[in-house]
Amino acid sequence: MHVHQDEDELFYVVQGTYEITCGEQVIEADAGDFAHLPRGIAHRYRNVGDGEGILMNTMTPGGFEKFLEEVDQLPKNAPLDKSKVTEITAG
């Protein structure tokens, strides 16, 4: 579970089946379903289908892409360093 303090997160399921948890609510979302995860509420998502899943994700308002760009600069030949991600998050 994680929380975004400044952004709402929106998911559109393109393919597969996902379990989406937002606070105490857990939903199963299939291709064509849409989920809105408001800022400030702990949430997560995971592919629970038998095959590949594809989600389209939107964050609003803009700005979260800067976090993704910084994480993308971390070494790719090693496991993700969670302490580095935490540093980036703290900004």
Side-chain angles (χ1 to χ4, degrees):
M1 300 280 277
H2 64 278
V3 177
H4 299 280
Q5 295 301 329
D6 301 317
E7 304 90 12
D8 290 350
E9 195 162 15
L10 310 163
F11 288 113
Y12 176 76
V13 181
V14 176
Q15 177 180 315
T17 302
Y18 284 83
E19 179 185 273
I20 300 173
T21 303
C22 185
E24 299 295 319
Q25 184 179 14
V26 179
I27 63 165
E28 188 169 286
D30 295 309
D33 289 339
F34 178 84
H36 171 235
L37 309 175
R39 69 189 81 185
I41 300 175
H43 60 276
R44 72 175 175 198
Y45 57 92
R46 65 188 183 110
N47 181 349
V48 295
D50 294 331
E52 181 179 50
I54 300 172
L55 287 175
M56 184 170 63
N57 177 258
T58 301
M59 306 288 280
T60 184
F64 189 77
E65 67 278 3
K66 293 174 187 150
F67 165 78
L68 298 174
E69 290 167 356
E70 289 187 48
V71 169
D72 186 55
Q73 297 304 309
L74 296 174
K76 306 222 183 352
N77 59 349
L80 186 62
D81 184 337
K82 291 185 181 183
S83 66
K84 293 286 186 188
V85 174
T86 299
E87 286 177 29
I88 293 168
T89 303

